[in-house]
């Protein structure tokens, strides 16, 4: 159940992160959802490694949004046109 909750939070967090991050982000439902889920999972497991969350505890919505926004910024850095 923990993984399903993390995925659901991540999906909504991806939508919020896409709205909050400036620039043209990845388009499409599945790419936005994957970005949010990845951010949520990254925030959860990084937070557990750093001791912010206990084992089995998810990052929550704010942590997931921050994780998704960081992934979105990295996406922009990787896909920007080379001048």
């Amino acid at each position: 159940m923990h993984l399903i909750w993390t995925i659901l939070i991540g999906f909504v967090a991806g939508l919020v992160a896409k709205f909050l991050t400036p620039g043209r982000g990845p388009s499409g439902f599945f790419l936005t959802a994957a970005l949010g889920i990845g951010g949520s999972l990254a925030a959860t497991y990084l937070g557990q490694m750093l001791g912010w969350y206990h084992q089995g505890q998810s990052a929550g919505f704010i942590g997931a949004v921050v994780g998704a926004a960081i992934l979105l910024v990295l996406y922009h850095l990787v896909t920007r046109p080379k001048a």
Side-chain angles (χ1 to χ4, degrees), residues 25-76:
S27 59
F29 175 78
F30 291 110
L31 194 53
T32 301
L35 178 79
I37 292 168
S40 178
L41 290 172
T44 295
Y45 293 116
L46 182 64
Q48 288 176 0
M49 286 175 35
L50 294 174
W52 296 342
Y53 307 114
H54 298 291
Q55 191 68 20
Q57 183 182 10
S58 64
F61 185 70
I62 294 174
V65 169
V66 170
I70 290 170
L71 286 180
L72 188 56
V73 168
L74 291 174
Y75 174 85
H76 285 299

Side-chain angles (χ1 to χ4, degrees), residues 10-20 29 32-33 36 68:
F11 170 70
V12 176
L15 295 174
V16 172
K18 186 175 178 182
F19 176 74
L20 293 176
F29 175 78
T32 301

